[in-house]
Structure formats: C-alpha cells, structure tokens
C-alpha cells in the first residue's frame, strides 16, 4: 500500500502554480501519493505536474466531480453523455500526469427520490453500460476507473459496498472497480472490515479518512478492523486521506464548518504518520 493525501486538504480548485510546491513537502512527511481533482475551473499544467511527481518519485490519483449534470445512471441520454465526455477528459489528464487511478461518484449524486424495483434496475443498467465503455477507454490509457461510494446524504444511489459490488459485477470489466472511503462507510456499513471484504478484489482505491474527516486516528473508525480486512483481500493500492479546507470553495459543498487542526500541514503530516503505523506497521501510531 502507498499512503498519500488529497490536495483538497489545502484548497480548491487545483492550481499548478499554487499546489505544485506541496509535492516535495508531502514526500518529506512520508507520503507517496497525491490526489488532485479535475474540477471545471482547475488549472492543471500536466507536463509540470508529471515532472514534479517524477522528480520526487511520487504516484498520483485523480478524482472527478460529476454531480447530477454528469450522472452516468440518468434517464436522459444527454446527461449520461455529458458524464462520459467529462470522464474521458479526466482519464486523459490521468494519462498525461502519469496517474494510474481515476475516481468519481458517478451516479445519483444529489438525488432525492427513492429508487426501487424496475426504476433502480434501469439506473443500474444505464450506469453499467456507460462504465463498460469507460473501462475500455481507461484501459487503453493505462488507468483504472473506480466508482466512489458515498453516504446517503450525498447520493440516493450506491451507498454500500454490497451495492457497489452489484454494479461492478454487471459492468464486468477488469479496468473498472470500487473506491471505498472510511468516512462514508462509517455512515452506512454495519462493519467496515466486512464491507472491505465484500469489495474484495474489485477494491481498487481507498480513502483512509476519519469519521469526521479530521486527522485519521482521532475519530471513531476502527482502524484495526480496516487494516485486517485490507490484508485479508491483499489490497496493495493507494490509501489517500481526504479532507477539506473550510475556507476553500469546496469546503461548504463538503459541509465543512470548522477546522480540525491548526493547519492543513498538520492534518496531512499527522495523518500520514498515523496511517503508516495503523496500516503498514511503520513507526508509532
């Protein structure tokens, strides 16, 4: 496993001239991965980002912002196509910076209706068809396309590992997998370890977040259970801390109304150290 951080800890959207200098800092704290977002107003100089990553020997993942206007399960074909086009642009960005993972909450974000029976199955089928196409596109770029599973307050579709596995089994593509996040899992799952084992070999990305999205290790997540389950399924991917800056544009969207540490640097540094201890047995927890 490689431990890293999402740059939303510092702010949004990504700006090459502002955020590139964080890469050597994160490396100095023991981080091996950065995650950046392809927000519409991001300014990503892909050549400069790749050079910085290569120079530090760092890996990267990219996360997308889909929302209701890019919902791959939407009944309107134009909305689904909008999501496909955005996803392909984001996968292209991954390839250009050398990132191996693209993640997104691709279905149901912002949805407020109860989906049951045929209505739910239709949405699953629509999403699966889009994801299979995106799996082909991602595979050609050398990227894994992973679906992030959110809690009930953010999406009405796909809230648990079991629901994610249902969709992924239907997609049936080697380049398409599941992204779990301990923050969201803490809302929805009966047991974090069992949820990880449910995702099993299709777990391709993981957010190691505190139950309150502060510094990992300070919330309610049972990290021993998480570590055991990740070992049980032989998970060898990225574990990224996702948190937010309340002063940034994305802070209110993530319902971030207070600071959990004295600085983003403190959260990142202490979080990396904790996860390396809790998940890899390095140093002291």
């Amino acid at each position: 496993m490689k431990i890293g951080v999402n740059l939303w800890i510092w702010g949004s959207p990504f700006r090459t001239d502002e955020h590139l200098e964080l890469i050597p800092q994160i490396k100095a704290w023991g981080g091996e991965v950065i995650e950046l977002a392809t927000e519409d107003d991001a300014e990503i100089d892909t050549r400069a980002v790749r050079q910085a990553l290569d120079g530090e020997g760092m890996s990267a993942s990219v996360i997308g912002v889909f929302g209701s206007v890019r919902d791959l399960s939407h009944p309107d074909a134009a909305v689904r196509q909008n999501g496909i086009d955005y996803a392909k642009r984001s996968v292209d960005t991954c390839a250009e910076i050398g990132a191996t993972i693209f993640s997104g909450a691709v279905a149901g974000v912002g949805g407020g209706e109860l989906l049951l029976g045929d209505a739910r199955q239709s949405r699953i089928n629509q999403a699966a068809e889009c994801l299979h196409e995106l799996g082909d596109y991602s595979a050609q770029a050398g990227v894994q396309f992973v679906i992030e599973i959110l809690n009930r307050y953010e999406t009405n579709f796909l809230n648990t590992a079991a629901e994610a596995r249902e969709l992924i089994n239907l997609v049936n593509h080697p380049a398409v997998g599941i992204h779990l996040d301990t923050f969201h899992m803490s809302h929805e799952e009966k047991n974090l370890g069992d949820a990880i084992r449910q995702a099993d070999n299709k777990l391709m990305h993981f957010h190691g977040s505190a139950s309150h999205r502060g510094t990992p290790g300070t919330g309610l997540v049972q990290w021993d259970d998480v570590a055991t389950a990740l070992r049980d399924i032989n998970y060898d991917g990225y574990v990224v801390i996702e948190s937010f800056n309340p002063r940034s544009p994305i802070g209110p969207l993530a319902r971030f109304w207070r600071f959990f540490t004295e600085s983003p640097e403190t959260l990142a540094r202490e979080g990396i150290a904790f996860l390396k201890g809790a998940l890899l047995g390095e140093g002291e927890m």
Side-chain angles (χ1 to χ4, degrees):
M1 285 181 277
K2 291 185 177 182
I3 309 298
V5 294
N6 185 305
L7 300 186
W8 274 333
I9 292 173
W10 283 268
S12 66
F14 180 86
R15 296 279 188 268
T16 300
D17 58 351
E18 295 177 19
H19 295 112
L20 212 60
E21 64 186 25
L22 292 171
I23 292 176
Q25 290 185 39
I26 294 165
K27 175 69 176 294
W29 299 328
E32 299 174 275
V33 183
I34 66 151
E35 185 167 270
L36 59 87
T38 49
E39 296 166 285
D40 289 336
D41 49 354
E43 295 177 0
I44 305 172
D45 181 335
T46 56
R47 178 178 296 181
V49 173
R50 183 159 195 158
Q51 288 177 342
L53 290 168
D54 290 346
E56 296 294 337
M58 296 276 282
S59 301
S61 55
V62 172
I63 194 162
V65 182
F66 281 77
S68 58
V69 297
R70 295 169 174 153
D71 187 343
L72 298 183
S73 73
H74 201 281
D76 187 337
V79 174
R80 298 196 303 274
Q81 188 61 52
N82 192 32
I84 289 172
D85 293 343
Y86 168 73
K88 288 181 177 179
R89 293 194 300 272
S90 296
V91 168
D92 291 344
T93 297
C94 287
E96 290 169 13
I97 70 171
T100 56
I101 293 286
F102 175 67
S103 174
V106 301
V109 174
E113 61 181 311
L114 179 63
L115 296 173
L116 297 172
D118 291 344
R120 180 176 181 276
Q121 190 59 50
S122 176
R123 297 286 288 268
I124 291 173
N125 293 343
Q126 299 280 23
E129 182 178 345
C130 294
L131 288 166
H132 201 279
E133 176 182 343
L134 290 168
D136 287 343
Y137 191 87
S138 298
Q140 291 176 2
V143 174
Q144 292 178 317
F145 194 108
V146 297
I147 294 83
E148 185 175 15
I149 308 306
L150 307 185
N151 69 73
R152 71 189 71 181
Y153 303 107
E154 299 185 39
T155 175
N156 66 337
F157 191 56
L158 305 178
N159 302 129
T160 68
E163 291 173 334
R165 189 75 206 214
E166 177 187 6
L167 172 61
I168 292 304
N169 287 348
L170 186 60
V171 176
N172 190 29
H173 196 293
V176 180
I178 298 170
H179 168 187
L180 296 179
D181 182 322
T182 48
F183 168 76
H184 297 293
M185 295 165 72
S186 296
H187 290 71
E188 301 294 340
E189 303 288 0
K190 295 178 181 179
N191 181 284
L192 300 190
D194 288 346
I196 290 168
R197 283 182 280 268
Q198 178 87 51
D200 197 25
N201 64 320
K202 297 304 290 187
L203 182 63
M204 296 181 179
H205 194 49
F206 197 76
H207 275 174
S209 304
S211 56
H212 48 44
R213 274 185 169 150
T215 306
T218 63
L220 303 176
V221 174
Q222 299 297 308
W223 290 103
D224 286 346
D225 292 343
V226 171
T228 298
L230 291 174
R231 287 194 297 269
D232 286 347
I233 66 169
N234 298 311
Y235 181 73
D236 195 32
Y238 303 157
V239 178
V240 172
I241 302 168
E242 184 183 59
S243 189
F244 303 90
N245 186 332
R247 289 199 179 100
S248 70
I250 201 167
L253 294 176
R255 300 297 185 261
F256 243 61
W257 308 122
R258 68 184 188 276
F259 294 93
F260 288 91
T261 60
E262 61 186 26
S263 69
E265 289 76 17
T266 298
L267 192 156
R269 184 180 65 252
E270 294 181 355
I272 289 170
F274 174 82
L275 290 181
K276 289 174 82 71
L279 304 183
L280 304 179
E282 298 181 10
E284 295 185 5
M285 293 167 50

